[in-house]
Amino acid sequence: MNIWKYLIKRILLIALVLFGVACIVFYIAHVIPADPVGAILGGNAPPEKIDKLRAQLGYDRPLIEQFFSFLKGAVVGDFGISIKTNNPVMKDIGLYFPATIELALVAIVISIVLGVLLGILSAVYRNRLIDNVSRVFSILGVSMPVFWIGLILILIFYYKLDWLPGGGRLDFFVDPPRRITGMYLFDSLFTGNWEAFRDALIHILMPAFVLGYNSTASIARITRSSMLEVLGQEYIRTAKAKGLKKRLVIYRHALRNALIPTITIIGLVFGGLLEGAVLTETVFSWPGLGRYITAGLLSLDYPAVMGGTIYIAFIYSLANLTVDILYALLDPRMRT
Amino acid sequence: MNRRFTKFFAILCLGLLLFSFGFAKTNVPNDTVVIAADTGIFITMDPGMVYEVLPGKIVDALYAKIVELEAHGDTLVPVPRLAEKWEISEDAMTYTFTMRKGLKFANGDPLNANDAVWSIKRSMKLTSSSKWLIESVGITEDNVDQTVKLIDDYTFTMKFDKPYASNIILGILTNQFASVVNRKQVEPHMSGDDLGQKWLDDNSAGAGAYVLQKWERNNQIVLVANPYYVEGQPKIRRIVVRDVPEAANQRLMVEKGDADVAWNVTGTMLKEMAANKELRIVRVPGHGNEYLAMNASWGPLKDPKVRLAVKYSINYDEIIDILLDGNALKVQGFVSKGYFGYVADNPFYQDIPKAKKLLAEAGYPNGFEVELMTSTANPRPAQAEKIQADLAKVGIKANIVIVQASQMYTKYRERGQQMVIAGWGNDYPDADNLAHAHANYKANQLAWRNAWEDEFAANLTIEAQFEKDPVRRELMYKILTDYWFLNGPFAMLYQTVETWPVRNELKGFEQAAIGYGMLFDFTKLYK
């Protein structure tokens, strides 16, 4: 089977997954016995008003009809009009998503650098101090809830030490850079706006670390075990026996092979980052897609919640596809 | 090469870290107020559409109205703002408003009666959620052209369908839908028949104390002072509302001085903050109440004696003093303190033998089982548990059901509840507003939802709204309240209290906040 066939198969699978997500999201949104129209109008509103608005928004139509018009729109990226912001949901996503993807990208960079480093060190210095420290660090990362770490770090680095800001993307006296990608770090770099760049950077460090902590831990553990496995292989022994320097053996001979499982895990945790963003963004007042969805949930803004969720599922699938392709390129055995 | 790259990368990371540290400190300048608040519920800044509390107060700061509320002591009184005066016709149905001369919008455009009339008509055409207030006094989308009439550039009239007491009419006119909007500024942004709604969602075109400079949703709202404001430019030149969804973060920001006031800090956190000498806790009576309501069409609750027994089994003082740390007012009538028609009696207290006796007389000596519904919003779940424990003392077994607020209201509107703990937010500061909700089932509000179809209470409520003599009118509300205490389906738990931790640098907050919920006067703030 060649790579094109493989690709087409994967893309069809993605379509199937997205259809499944759409069904589930729609079902959950409509099975909740809550009334979005009542939520818009508040507890004091008279019932006639509520019926009128319900008809206006189309919530009085049969469910199956609503589902099909939702699906029809979703295929072309039209998730309807957000009840809360009054904008097309897709436009809102375009507005909020850059903040989320920026956060996720920085988080993944931090977790790859930190995770791979810790993984190598603990494999090379197995059962020594550094290995034990990294083990404790990883277990904490996997087991502590994101919002709790977030609040504790804010307390330490913002409140006590005053090193980092406590939330938001920029200080309010710093003007955001001209919008190119919507990601402040890149936009300020492109436009040479150093003040905004510095401010955006200090704002993103803490949330990105918190968001990436969990993945850092997973990456460190996976790298460690695959590194250990590779280090026990015969070709490593041969390399050592040849009298090569230890560093060369580790980085050139062992690491490259040990990284294959790490790439898989990176693809998987990237999806997890998007999902973790919902909590991290709330704790750090980060105006991204996660916060958009949470705010939508609280005001029963169905179009926003459904659209946002499907969009995240779509990006998640794309990330997985990218990893699969990378994988296929790195390891020819996977293409069969 | 590999090694060199690693080294380079390490130095780069370290450099970035050093470069960024020590740069976190921000101070709030003296002409700026920073508010930390959860803005997740903010939907629109259009005065014809807004309804929620804090967004409503921000819209009030952006748009001036013909009549506005002012706090005189604890009492809220309607006063002329853009109007100079008003005259009420002999039959009490037509109001003639005379505008002040030389008024300007925030962008410098002249403002006169044309704008006022156009703005009211505009609001009537929109699907505003507060429109029903003015519809309840007879001005509707269909008749607005006949009922709201321009006489000349400085005068216009409004005609209502019945001779309501003037405090009611003027109170209703202080709501956001009566904000005066700059037609000239909005017209270029209209698309289709939206009357500029889309543009006004996140822009302002008013004559209020402030102008909306920018609103980045889920991030921040920035207001700047209006140089042409009718009462003079406010002292604080810039107000920033930062979106901080986590109350714990709001607290840290205020304690550190990065925000002047936190909007959503309550409960134990507030108590802990009171120890900080750099700030103070501001408390004012709120414009809402919290009640336990009983569905008068369900089982044992049909009997007024059973309802009275429930009212005598609750320990109101413990709810206020222990559960809420004193952050509530003991008000058992339906009229809030500070309103026309307020009744100072609090007849109910926990009296278990009396409650048991009443239950026995009603034929339930061993109590009964009932569903007690409430929403997830704090402190409701705790209140439900407290009331469950109190009711258990007289043999009533309450099963608590906690649901999302919107879910609760859906069930409540369909009269599907048995007992419910909920609250009511007021719309204008007159007993009439609350009497309709709590005692007149014909208004389709709370009395109706609880199936208390009492003709006497309904008719007295309707009669009182037309009484011109304030003394007689006050007496009518006293009679109504006494009747309601004995027969009504509500055990009023308390009147809400609004609380804020405020930094000491920010002065005037106590005055600005009086009437919050209905009024917040940003112009009273200074540093």
Side-chain angles (χ1 to χ4, degrees):
Chain A
M1 186 157 65
N2 68 27
I3 190 140
W4 292 111
K5 256 194 186 150
Y6 174 76
L7 254 181
I8 289 167
K9 201 177 109 193
R10 295 290 317 180
I11 289 171
L12 284 178
L13 269 175
I14 287 181
L16 200 67
V17 165
L18 288 179
F19 177 74
V21 171
C23 289
I24 294 172
V25 165
F26 186 86
Y27 179 71
I28 291 178
H30 288 81
V31 85
I32 304 171
D35 177 11
V37 181
I40 301 170
L41 294 180
N44 288 15
E48 313 86 75
K49 268 251 125 63
I50 292 175
D51 291 340
K52 204 175 146 196
L53 188 63
R54 181 175 294 131
Q56 222 172 60
L57 293 171
Y59 289 144
D60 56 345
R61 289 183 299 158
L63 216 55
I64 194 80
E65 207 182 304
Q66 288 187 50
F67 180 62
F68 278 113
S69 68
F70 167 68
L71 262 194
K72 222 167 77 189
V75 170
V76 291
D78 173 14
F79 298 115
I81 307 279
S82 156
I83 298 175
K84 199 171 111 80
T85 65
N86 233 329
N87 283 331
V89 172
M90 209 51 211
K91 191 181 155 201
D92 280 343
I93 291 177
L95 222 56
Y96 290 111
F97 191 62
T100 299
I101 199 82
E102 180 179 37
L103 187 64
L105 284 177
V106 176
I108 200 84
V109 169
I110 292 180
S111 31
I112 291 173
V113 171
L114 217 59
V116 171
L117 202 72
L118 278 179
I120 297 172
L121 287 177
S122 13
V124 176
Y125 302 101
R126 186 178 178 189
N127 289 337
R128 305 260 284 278
L129 182 69
I130 179 91
D131 187 23
N132 288 326
V133 169
S134 133
R135 186 175 293 137
V136 171
F137 176 85
S138 306
I139 289 169
L140 286 180
V142 180
S143 49
M144 280 199 298
V146 171
F147 63 89
W148 192 80
I149 309 173
L151 288 174
I152 293 297
L153 288 186
I154 289 177
L155 188 69
I156 297 173
F157 288 101
Y158 165 69
Y159 187 66
K160 296 278 183 212
L161 297 175
D162 204 7
W163 286 359
L164 293 168
R169 289 178 81 186
L170 279 183
D171 195 273
F172 39 88
F173 302 113
V174 175
D175 285 325
R178 191 159 51 83
R179 189 184 167 100
I180 301 169
T181 59
M183 293 184 257
Y184 286 174
L185 280 179
F186 293 97
D187 288 357
S188 53
L189 265 186
F190 291 151
T191 53
N193 186 345
W194 293 108
E195 197 200 351
F197 180 75
R198 176 153 53 189
D199 202 52
L201 187 71
I202 57 167
H203 275 84
I204 208 169
L205 281 179
M206 217 174 2
F209 174 78
V210 168
L211 181 58
Y213 189 14
N214 198 308
S215 3
T216 309
S218 316
I219 292 175
R221 296 320 284 167
I222 294 282
T223 311
R224 178 182 181 273
S225 64
S226 78
M227 196 67 184
L228 279 178
E229 200 191 316
V230 173
L231 283 177
Q233 300 279 334
E234 288 185 351
Y235 66 88
I236 297 292
R237 205 185 322 147
T238 314
K240 279 183 186 161
K242 273 199 311 191
L244 287 180
K245 272 192 213 150
K246 191 181 173 190
R247 189 174 279 131
L248 206 64
V249 175
I250 292 171
Y251 291 110
R252 182 164 300 168
H253 294 247
L255 184 60
R256 203 166 281 180
N257 289 312
L259 276 185
I260 291 184
T262 307
I263 290 178
T264 326
I265 197 85
I266 289 171
L268 286 177
V269 296
F270 189 73
L273 288 183
L274 293 174
E275 158 198 315
V278 173
L279 283 176
T280 314
E281 285 178 4
T282 303
V283 173
F284 286 96
S285 322
W286 192 264
L289 196 56
R291 178 98 181 86
Y292 176 71
I293 294 177
T294 339
L297 273 174
L298 291 179
S299 51
L300 296 183
D301 188 347
Y302 288 167
V305 174
M306 295 192 292
T309 313
I310 291 178
Y311 192 76
I312 285 188
F314 177 66
I315 299 294
Y316 186 101
S317 313
L318 273 192
N320 265 332
L321 180 70
T322 318
V323 170
D324 285 343
I325 294 172
L326 271 181
Y327 223 74
L329 291 176
L330 283 177
D331 188 347
R333 281 171 302 178
M334 297 304 296
R335 284 172 227 165
T336 51
Chain B
M1 185 247 154
N2 243 343
R3 232 175 102 192
R4 207 177 288 161
F5 177 74
T6 320
K7 217 181 226 168
F8 170 74
F9 195 77
I11 290 171
L12 185 79
C13 287
L14 206 71
L16 280 178
L17 272 179
L18 287 177
F19 170 70
S20 56
F21 276 171
F23 230 88
K25 188 74 192 162
T26 50
N27 280 314
V28 180
N30 269 343
D31 63 347
T32 303
V33 168
V34 176
I35 297 171
D38 181 358
T39 68
I41 51 151
F42 282 41
I43 296 173
T44 172
M45 290 288 146
D46 185 331
M49 296 298 290
V50 73
Y51 195 55
E52 297 73 19
V53 180
L54 179 56
K57 297 320 114 188
I58 290 174
V59 167
D60 282 343
L62 300 173
Y63 295 87
K65 289 171 232 118
I66 306 299
V67 188
E68 286 181 9
L69 289 175
E70 220 170 72
H72 291 178
D74 265 351
T75 316
L76 299 184
V77 186
V79 295
R81 180 74 71 216
L82 297 179
E84 198 173 75
K85 57 175 186 185
W86 55 75
E87 275 158 32
I88 304 172
S89 67
E90 198 62 11
D91 66 359
M93 283 162 66
T94 305
Y95 287 58
T96 306
F97 293 94
T98 310
M99 305 281 287
R100 294 200 207 183
K101 306 265 178 347
L103 292 171
K104 275 179 180 167
F105 281 107
N107 68 349
D109 288 348
L111 184 165
N112 61 33
N114 286 289
D115 301 286
V117 170
W118 180 77
S119 302
I120 292 171
K121 290 184 178 170
R122 174 181 182 273
S123 290
M124 295 311 296
K125 283 181 194 131
L126 296 174
T127 49
S128 146
S129 34
S130 63
K131 209 167 72 173
W132 61 271
L133 276 173
I134 193 156
E135 284 172 351
S136 71
V137 288
I139 294 185
T140 64
E141 186 180 343
D142 299 326
N143 71 15
V144 70
D145 288 327
Q146 290 84 51
T147 48
V148 181
K149 274 192 178 144
L150 185 74
I151 306 297
D152 59 47
D153 278 356
Y154 294 98
T155 10
F156 72 97
T157 59
M158 292 182 89
K159 191 173 184 320
F160 303 95
D161 63 346
K162 287 181 189 131
Y164 302 96
S166 65
N167 203 45
I168 300 175
I169 295 293
L170 297 170
I172 287 179
L173 288 180
T174 64
N175 269 281
Q176 283 90 18
F177 64 81
S179 303
V180 179
V181 180
N182 188 348
R183 179 183 190 170
K184 220 168 96 189
Q185 201 180 349
V186 175
E187 252 163 7
H189 302 284
M190 291 186 187
S191 70
D193 52 2
D194 83 334
L195 295 165
Q197 191 202 324
K198 194 136 189 52
W199 186 74
L200 284 174
D201 267 353
D202 28 31
N203 290 282
S204 72
Y210 289 89
V211 179
L212 182 60
Q213 192 186 44
K214 62 176 169 184
W215 175 18
E216 297 159 17
R217 279 167 203 267
N218 295 340
N219 191 15
Q220 61 179 358
I221 296 161
V222 183
L223 312 182
V224 290
N226 167 12
Y228 301 111
Y229 183 52
V230 58
E231 306 288 345
Q233 180 164 208
K235 294 179 205 88
I236 296 293
R237 293 296 153 93
R238 180 160 55 169
I239 292 172
V240 182
V241 183
R242 285 226 99 174
D243 179 47
V244 184
E246 260 296 320
N249 291 353
Q250 293 188 7
R251 170 190 174 173
L252 293 182
M253 285 178 75
V254 172
E255 294 213 31
K256 242 175 78 87
D258 286 345
D260 295 298
V261 49
W263 221 263
N264 311 98
V265 171
T266 50
T268 38
M269 251 192 255
L270 205 61
K271 219 159 112 188
E272 288 165 19
M273 288 180 87
N276 188 333
K277 296 260 180 311
E278 290 173 22
L279 47 91
R280 63 194 192 277
I281 309 296
V282 175
R283 287 189 175 80
V284 303
H287 294 268
N289 59 38
E290 190 78 2
Y291 59 78
L292 168 78
M294 296 163 262
N295 187 333
S297 67
W298 179 83
L301 298 178
K302 284 178 191 157
D303 191 331
K305 273 193 178 150
V306 172
R307 303 201 291 262
L308 210 52
V310 169
K311 294 179 201 177
Y312 277 114
S313 24
I314 298 170
N315 191 327
Y316 302 88
D317 293 329
E318 281 179 6
I319 292 179
I320 294 173
D321 297 334
I322 300 174
L323 220 75
L324 300 165
D325 286 322
N327 289 321
L329 286 177
K330 188 169 173 179
V331 173
Q332 293 185 341
F334 52 79
V335 185
S336 304
K337 202 172 184 171
Y339 283 27
F340 179 86
Y342 165 66
V343 177
D345 301 344
N346 293 323
F348 297 108
Y349 51 90
Q350 191 177 51
D351 187 339
I352 302 295
K354 188 170 184 173
K356 278 188 168 160
K357 197 171 149 251
L358 281 163
L359 277 179
E361 280 171 26
Y364 300 96
N366 302 315
F368 52 89
E369 212 173 319
V370 64
E371 187 183 285
L372 173 58
M373 176 172 70
T374 195
S375 71
T376 50
N378 275 325
R380 285 198 179 135
Q383 284 170 181
E385 276 171 36
K386 166 70 184 140
I387 288 174
Q388 182 185 45
D390 284 347
L391 291 179
K393 288 180 187 158
V394 297
I396 300 175
K397 185 172 181 292
N399 303 313
I400 299 176
V401 179
I402 294 173
V403 295
Q404 284 293 328
S406 53
Q407 196 176 338
M408 173 174 84
Y409 284 116
T410 307
K411 199 167 172 187
Y412 197 7
R413 280 195 187 94
E414 291 162 357
R415 292 183 174 185
Q417 85 290 6
Q418 293 172 6
M419 273 190 188
V420 63
I421 299 174
W424 182 258
N426 313 346
D427 295 295
Y428 51 92
D430 187 283
D432 178 60
N433 168 17
L434 294 149
H436 280 297
H438 294 86
N440 172 14
Y441 74 94
K442 292 172 189 165
N444 263 338
Q445 294 174 336
L446 299 184
W448 183 86
R449 286 182 205 167
N450 287 294
W452 190 54
E453 301 184 353
D454 189 293
E455 294 301 329
F456 175 75
N459 292 337
L460 189 54
T461 305
I462 294 167
E463 229 174 280
Q465 71 182 341
F466 301 120
E467 179 53 54
K468 276 186 204 161
D469 176 7
V471 180
R472 272 188 62 106
R473 201 166 156 242
E474 201 146 28
L475 187 67
M476 289 165 105
Y477 287 121
K478 167 87 176 108
I479 294 167
L480 179 62
T481 307
D482 285 343
Y483 180 81
W484 180 86
F485 278 144
L486 280 178
N487 300 286
F490 300 92
M492 193 58 76
L493 303 176
Y494 53 83
Q495 180 177 344
T496 56
V497 164
E498 302 287 346
T499 48
W500 298 265
V502 181
R503 285 198 70 82
N504 290 335
E505 306 89 273
L506 179 60
K507 306 193 176 69
F509 198 93
E510 287 77 356
Q511 288 71 42
I514 294 175
Y516 182 66
M518 203 150 287
L519 173 67
F520 190 93
D521 191 346
F522 286 96
T523 63
K524 296 245 163 66
L525 299 176
Y526 65 98
K527 274 186 173 177

